């Protein structure tokens, strides 16, 4: 696998999502990023989770069970696998690639629910992605393809402490703040996933409680 393979999978996945009716740039980037990370971590790739949802085998099985909503079902199941793997390593009050807080997640869920049935739309490029090894920083090429056209800051990478998860910095965000910072959060969370090579290491930020009025 080359970085071009990852980029091709990311771009192709975004195009497929757009064809199914998802037009919001952030949702396209977020869902495509999740699907690429999920595919990289599947059992026949890096084996971070016991899943083959986005493989050829996964497609064949879902086509038998949910032929009319196979694509939507794959996206839902892939997201669920990633979210479960993260939640096993994080506290409930965390912001991570597969969990952007209740407000954002409710909108992402609604967008996925509205995916149009499209027989010609497929995740073929993603499905064919074969990942036998990864170099640190492998997600930087994906970041450059997001709508914000961000570039991971060169030279700013600091090796996190050993463990199954790591806090990216001292920042924490309320649900209200996530909306304004969502693109930067996606960029930094994706960059954090660049440390997952031989094993999964989940980057996160704490989700801060909303401030309540004393008179409420």
């Amino acid at each position: 696998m080359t970085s071009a393979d990852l980029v091709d999978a990311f771009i192709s996945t975004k195009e497929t999502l757009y064809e199914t009716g998802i037009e919001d740039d952030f949702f396209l980037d977020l869902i495509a990023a999740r699907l690429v990370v999920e595919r990289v971590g599947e059992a026949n790739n890096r084996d971070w989770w016991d899943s083959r949802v986005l493989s050829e085998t996964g497609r064949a099985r879902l086509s038998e069970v949910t032929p009319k909503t196979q694509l939507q079902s794959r996206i839902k199941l892939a997201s669920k696998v990633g979210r479960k793997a993260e939640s096993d390593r994080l506290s409930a009050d965390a912001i991570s690639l597969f969990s952007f807080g209740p407000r954002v997640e409710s909108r992402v869920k609604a967008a996925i629910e509205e995916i149009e049935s499209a027989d010609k739309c497929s995740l073929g490029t993603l499905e064919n992605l074969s990942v036998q090894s990864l170099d640190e920083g492998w997600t930087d090429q994906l970041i450059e393809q997001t709508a914000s056209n961000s570039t991971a800051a060169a030279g700013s990478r600091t090796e996190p402490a050993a463990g199954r998860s790591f806090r990216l910095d001292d920042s924490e965000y309320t649900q209200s703040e996530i909306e304004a910072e969502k693109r930067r959060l996606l960029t930094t969370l994706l960059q954090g996933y660049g440390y997952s090579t031989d094993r999964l290491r989940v980057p996160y930020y704490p989700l801060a409680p909303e401030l309540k009025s004393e008179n409420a």
Side-chain angles (χ1 to χ4, degrees):
M1 183 208 73
T2 66
S3 59
D5 296 326
L6 282 167
V7 169
D8 287 346
F10 183 70
I11 292 174
S12 175
T13 300
K14 284 179 64 175
E15 290 173 347
T16 296
L17 293 171
Y18 184 81
E19 290 171 6
T20 62
I22 297 178
E23 298 182 352
D24 183 277
D25 285 338
F26 176 71
F27 288 166
L28 288 171
D29 284 335
L30 177 62
I31 297 171
R34 288 176 174 178
L35 294 179
V36 170
V37 170
E38 160 67 18
R39 180 67 186 119
V40 166
E42 289 198 316
N44 61 332
N45 279 324
R46 301 308 300 147
D47 198 23
W48 294 339
W49 29 67
D50 185 16
S51 166
R52 292 176 184 255
V53 173
L54 298 176
S55 69
E56 181 179 358
T57 300
R59 172 174 50 80
R61 290 177 178 173
L62 282 174
S63 293
E64 295 176 358
V65 179
T66 57
K68 294 184 179 180
T69 59
Q70 172 257 131
L71 180 61
Q72 185 186 73
S73 296
R74 290 180 92 185
I75 294 171
K76 287 181 178 179
L77 284 174
S79 300
K80 184 177 181 180
V81 168
R83 189 172 299 116
K84 174 65 166 58
E86 289 188 338
S87 66
D88 286 346
R89 291 162 169 79
L90 301 174
S91 68
D93 298 325
I95 304 163
S96 56
L97 181 62
F98 288 85
S99 183
F100 258 67
R103 293 185 186 177
V104 172
E105 290 304 324
S106 66
R107 292 163 54 207
V108 174
K109 180 180 179 180
I112 294 173
E113 289 290 348
E114 293 176 3
I115 285 178
E116 299 172 1
S117 177
D119 295 335
K120 295 181 180 180
C121 294
S122 72
L123 298 171
T125 305
L126 186 64
E127 183 178 299
N128 294 327
L129 185 64
S130 178
V131 185
Q132 302 308 311
S133 64
L134 290 171
D135 293 326
E136 186 176 298
W138 61 272
T139 54
D140 290 356
Q141 296 297 317
L142 304 183
I143 294 169
E144 292 178 4
Q145 300 301 319
T146 60
S148 62
N149 197 28
S150 298
T151 302
S156 65
R157 194 181 301 279
T158 302
E159 181 69 20
R164 301 200 310 165
S165 65
F166 61 97
R167 182 168 173 169
L168 288 167
D169 59 38
D170 293 333
S171 303
E172 63 178 15
Y173 300 88
T174 64
Q175 292 188 58
S176 300
E177 292 167 336
I178 291 173
E179 180 63 31
E181 296 287 338
K182 60 186 179 183
R183 286 213 161 275
R184 191 185 66 80
L185 290 172
L186 175 56
T187 296
T188 54
L189 288 166
L190 257 182
Q191 187 177 34
Y193 258 96
Y195 290 110
S196 293
T197 52
D198 294 334
R199 61 189 178 90
L200 177 63
R201 304 179 70 185
V202 178
Y204 73 97
Y205 290 103
L207 178 62
E210 300 287 338
L211 296 176
K212 296 182 180 181
S213 169
E214 294 180 358
N215 296 323

